[in-house]
């Protein structure tokens, strides 16, 4: 809302900025204006409140901002193995923001990976990237021999295009009319595009086709054959349709479809009630039930009339795993039961006893269906919370009769021991997250103020930290190359850098990995940006809780964390306190160009992950609801006092900025 926007204007604008001293009523003035300013610009035509001396500063800041923005961002990656175990290929998606056009451009980079027996690796990058203009999703087939490009329609009259590419040619292009379905869900909760193992069919999630509705104008019922242009005023369109809120407000219900890539035929998966919104579809091993997917119900459990509530950032919406038959199978092959006849006969709920289940993945041998659960969030009402991992023993005969056995793999961690695993906080999984043993999953998770890479043995439940133990940098897995890991690492003062990880088999220490920096295909940033990054440092600080109540559980009394970013002379520089939203999210130590731009202006940053943040255990997280506006405020002030007492900042020049819950906290801190 306005408070954080106002704060951003204070710090990114030029001239005198009003500084807000937290925890007191005083306000002082902080000048960031250079002492010598050109003033040859005419005052005519300038915005109100801006004098000619500001023009050069705005121009300088604008140029610096563009230099930060044009630095490419690394997105996804895919690795394709070959018969030669020492050679493979990789494809990396990269994006670059166009600030003036207000859009993001996406590219694909290709590379050849060569490995030697001495555990060294070299990447030979293609000389130029390929721009993915108009592409909504890129999905390689399991073998890497085919590639699906999705081009969602740009208007209501155009079809959605599914392009099937082979090694050197376009093999098929499927045009799907709007009467069949709308745009594919290419990101977010409902994203789901999956090749079958034979690479003949593709299952995916798209908007259901438009539903017929009566339409009226101010003259009465809309006659057949009349167009939208005939209406000059309001029109009614039958019953109102709920949406899933932010990001999804203009989208229709997500439904499941399967495309035959040879014939181009597309079939809808029948039997899913419209009260369920489907997503995250995958193919099951050989079974009567070929598809497994997640579905969210309109019935949220605490409203008399079922309706959809906002789902973005909200893990507390009940969801379950379902299995269904492939719509291309003959009608006679579809399973049915006496108790479940008709259109819904082929729909089986797999997680009836869990309030949350998502991100399903089958083990390579097909014995386990592994998934993540946010049951702590659903059961408590917190919009996000500590995850758990579970598995279903998948029937060897593929028959889903009777109750399925669901067991815990990683339980919810309530109160982590010092330095130990704080619980799972997983925002996504690789399409194929398995090492060659078929039991070990590799994934990214929050661990305090850092993002780390974890290995999880789904048979034993053992969790190990794969990324460097002694690093305050954030690490994320991009792809797996057999038993090796392609990852990206960064910090608030270090640009993202790709690494290649080998498990060290010549050590007595368990889960010890060696990481090799990969030669980057990206050009170095400008000398100015490089100098600014090099002149800054960061540290993750543990902040003891101030006067914890005896009523708090042990986990809520543990220290929380703050990240302090400073230049060469932090004690005399103004400081910005940066607060994340949520409140149940976390500001990781990974690179952020918006924060880099702020500290490049000469500010220290104090990024506070107050209790209630992800990455610190469930008891600390659940201590915030019911204490918002007091506990989180006190945590921020405690962190500020911590750096103040150590002489790290000038306490007379402190300001605060945040968005969403961070904006709410900003106003609380100013007011209190």
């Amino acid at each position: 809302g306005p408070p954080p926007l106002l704060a951003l204007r204070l710090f990114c604008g030029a001239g005198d900025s009003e500084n807000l001293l937290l925890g007191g009523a005083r306000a002082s003035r902080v000048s960031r204006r250079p002492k010598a300013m050109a003033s040859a610009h005419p005052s005519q035509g300038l915005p109100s409140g801006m004098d000619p001396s500001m023009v050069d500063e705005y121009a300088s800041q604008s140029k610096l901002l563009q230099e930060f923005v044009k630095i490419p961002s690394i997105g996804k990656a895919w690795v394709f193995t070959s018969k030669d175990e020492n050679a493979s290929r990789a494809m990396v998606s990269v994006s670059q923001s166009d600030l003036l056009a207000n859009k993001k451009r996406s590219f694909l980079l290709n590379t050849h990976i060569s490995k030697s027996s001495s555990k060294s690796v070299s990447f030979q990058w293609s000389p130029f990237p390929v721009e993915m203009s108009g592409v909504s999703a890129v999905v390689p087939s399991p073998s890497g021999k085919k590639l699906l490009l999705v081009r969602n329609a740009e208007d209501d009259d155009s079809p959605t295009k599914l392009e099937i590419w082979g090694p050197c040619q376009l093999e098929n292009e499927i045009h799907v009319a709007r009467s069949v379905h709308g745009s594919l869900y290419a990101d977010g909760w409902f994203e789901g595009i999956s090749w079958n193992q034979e690479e003949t069919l593709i299952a995916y999630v798209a908007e259901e086709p438009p539903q017929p509705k009566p339409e009226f104008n101010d003259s009465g019922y809309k006659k057949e054959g009349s167009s939208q242009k005939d209406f000059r005023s309001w029109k009614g369109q039958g019953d109102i349709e709920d949406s899933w809120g932010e990001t999804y407000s203009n989208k229709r219900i997500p439904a499941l479809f399967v495309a035959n890539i040879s014939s181009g035929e597309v079939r809808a998966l029948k039997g899913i009630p419209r009260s369920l919104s489907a997503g995250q579809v995958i193919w099951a091993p050989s079974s009567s039930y070929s598809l497994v997917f997640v579905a969210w119900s309109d019935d949220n459990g605490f409203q008399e009339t079922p309706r959809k509530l906002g789902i973005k950032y909200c893990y507390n919406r009940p969801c379950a795993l379902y299995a269904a038959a492939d719509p291309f199978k003959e009608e006679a092959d579809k399973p049915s039961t006496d108790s479940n006849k008709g259109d819904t006969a082929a729909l089986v709920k797999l997680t009836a006893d869990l309030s949350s289940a998502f991100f399903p993945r089958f083990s390579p041998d097909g014995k386990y269906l592994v998934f993540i659960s946010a049951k702590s969030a659903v059961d408590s009402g917190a919009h996000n919370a500590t995850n758990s991992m579970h598995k279903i023993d998948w029937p060897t005969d593929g028959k889903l009769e009777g109750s399925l056995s669901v067991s815990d793999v990683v339980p919810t961690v309530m109160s982590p021991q010092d330095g130990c695993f704080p619980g799972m906080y997983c925002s996504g999984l690789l399409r194929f997250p398995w090492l060659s043993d078929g039991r070990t999953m590799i994934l990214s998770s929050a661990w305090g103020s850092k993002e780390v890479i974890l290995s999880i043995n789904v048979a034993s439940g053992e969790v190990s930290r794969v990324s460097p133990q002694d690093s305050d940098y954030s690490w994320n897995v991009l792809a797996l190359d057999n038993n090796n890991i392609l990852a990206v690492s960064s910090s608030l003062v270090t640009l993202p850098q790709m690494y290649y990880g080998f498990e060290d088999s010549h050590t007595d220490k368990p889960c010890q990995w060696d990481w090799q920096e990969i030669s980057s295909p990206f050009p170095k940033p400008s000398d100015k940006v490089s100098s600014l990054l090099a002149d800054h440092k960061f540290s993750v600080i543990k902040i003891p809780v101030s006067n914890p109540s005896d009523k708090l559980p042990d986990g809520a009394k543990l220290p929380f964390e703050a990240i302090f970013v400073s230049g060469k002379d932090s004690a005399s520089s103004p400081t910005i306190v940066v607060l994340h939203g949520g409140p149940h999210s976390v500001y990781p130590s990974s690179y952020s160009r918006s924060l880099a731009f702020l500290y490049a202006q000469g500010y220290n940053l104090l990024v506070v992950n107050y209790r209630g943040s992800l990455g610190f255990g469930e008891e600390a997280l659940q201590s915030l609801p019911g204490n918002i506006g007091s506990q989180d405020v006190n945590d921020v002030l405690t962190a500020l006092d911590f750096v103040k007492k150590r002489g790290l900042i000038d306490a007379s020049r402190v300001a605060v900025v945040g968005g969403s819950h961070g904006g709410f906290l900003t106003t609380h801190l100013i007011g209190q």
Side-chain angles (χ1 to χ4, degrees), residues 76-80 89-93 108 138-140 431 478-479:
K76 298 179 179 180
W78 303 266
V79 174
F80 311 107
R89 296 172 294 115
M91 190 167 65
V92 179
S93 68
L108 283 181
V138 178
V139 187
R431 292 184 186 274
L478 292 174

Side-chain angles (χ1 to χ4, degrees), residues 374-394:
K375 57 187 178 68
S376 294
V378 175
D379 297 346
S380 68
H383 73 91
N384 202 352
T386 311
N387 299 150
S388 54
M389 179 181 282
H390 309 266
K391 66 181 179 183
I392 294 173
D393 294 325
W394 198 253

Side-chain angles (χ1 to χ4, degrees), residues 184-186 190-194 203-205 279-281 431:
L184 270 71
Y185 282 83
F190 304 114
E191 174 191 8
I193 305 173
S194 180
Y204 58 88
V205 183
Q280 301 179 18
V281 62
R431 292 184 186 274

Side-chain angles (χ1 to χ4, degrees), residues 155-177:
D155 54 61
D156 291 338
D157 298 323
S158 302
T160 294
K161 298 177 183 178
L162 308 178
E163 298 177 0
I164 312 299
W165 290 85
C168 58
Q169 66 179 3
L170 179 64
E171 294 187 351
N172 199 1
E173 184 176 71
I174 304 171
H175 289 214
V176 187

